[in-house]
Amino acid sequence: MDYAGRGGWIEVVSGVMFSGKSEELLRRIRRATLARHQVQVFKSHLDERYGGLQTVSTHSGARIESEPVSSSVEVMERLRPGTSVVGIDEVQFLDHGIVDVANALADGGVRVIAAGTDMDFRGEPFGPMGALLAVAERIDKLQAICVKCGQLATRNQRLIDGRPAPAEGPTIQVGGLESYEARCRACHEVPSLGRAQISLLEG
Ligand code: ADP
Ligand code: ZN
């Protein structure tokens, strides 16, 4: 069901990777288009998976056109007069300014639909997600299936060479060799490096 408020508002679709956030974002965007709203979809330029930067793509292959942005300011700069619905995918990668931008858009009558993973690979709040969840009118938190035990997955497991990645790695590893899988709290593993290994990492 779409949120039935007056004027603008903020909706956040959050959750672990593979939980269907992009699918849900696309569903809401399609429905807004059917309702003849003028829609713009943005996506952090850091997400290069699947269809590349010009589309929001889901793990199951659906896609929709999007505009890559590298900052929250760019969302405002690219906004066209008449746009009444703004979708933002991979919002966790954007700067904290996205909270003010989303608020300003909603204050101006725009429906903002932001999708993003709420925790980083350590299980800590990811970028602006905590603040965005706090100011949103509506929040949906989706779960995936834990690849280890089949329970509901809420955590992003980062793997390097197939092994759980250490907590000391960067939150955003651009072009890294890592991969991710969805896991539940009990199966989520974040080993901590010893002192010697940390100094090796820091060079
Ligand atoms: P998100 O945007 O949250 O990463 P997507 O909408 O891109 O999610 O993809 C969700 C789809 O990923 C599911 O419909 C399913 O087909 C697929 N999928 C792959 N691995 C898993 C998993 N471990 N749990 C649930 N769905 C998964
Ligand atoms: Zn599990």
Side-chain angles (χ1 to χ4, degrees), residues 8-146:
W9 65 84
I10 302 171
E11 301 164 32
V12 180
V13 182
S14 73
V16 65
M17 289 169 78
F18 305 104
S19 62
K21 300 181 299 297
S22 299
E23 284 173 355
E24 180 58 23
L25 176 65
L26 294 199
R27 192 186 74 88
R28 293 185 194 184
I29 293 296
R30 288 212 181 90
R31 288 164 63 92
T33 308
L34 284 170
R36 301 191 202 291
H37 283 285
Q38 292 204 35
V39 177
Q40 277 185 269
V41 181
F42 301 99
K43 184 172 82 163
S44 162
H45 75 295
L46 288 179
D47 185 58
E48 294 180 36
R49 70 177 190 190
Y50 311 115
L53 285 173
Q54 312 299 329
T55 56
V56 167
S57 309
T58 72
H59 289 105
S60 49
R63 58 183 56 195
I64 200 168
E65 267 185 43
S66 70
E67 307 175 43
V69 289
S70 52
S71 70
S72 57
V73 171
E74 219 181 319
V75 172
M76 281 312 226
E77 288 171 353
R78 286 171 171 269
L79 198 72
R80 290 190 293 268
T83 294
S84 55
V85 177
V86 165
I88 309 170
D89 200 16
E90 304 293 349
V91 71
Q92 77 279 356
F93 289 146
L94 289 176
D95 53 283
H96 276 75
I98 197 63
V99 181
D100 287 343
V101 166
N103 265 328
L105 290 173
D107 289 347
V110 172
R111 175 185 174 195
V112 179
I113 314 169
T117 194
D118 46 6
M119 281 180 270
D120 64 17
F121 75 100
R122 302 179 200 93
E124 289 168 4
F126 205 138
M129 286 301 285
L132 208 52
L133 288 164
V135 299
E137 268 77 10
R138 172 181 166 175
I139 299 163
D140 290 281
K141 179 153 177 161
L142 308 181
Q143 286 84 31
I145 300 300
C146 175

Side-chain angles (χ1 to χ4, degrees), residues 146 148-151 183-184 186-187:
C146 175
K148 285 270 179 191
C149 74
Q151 300 282 356
R183 293 196 187 178
C184 71
C187 296

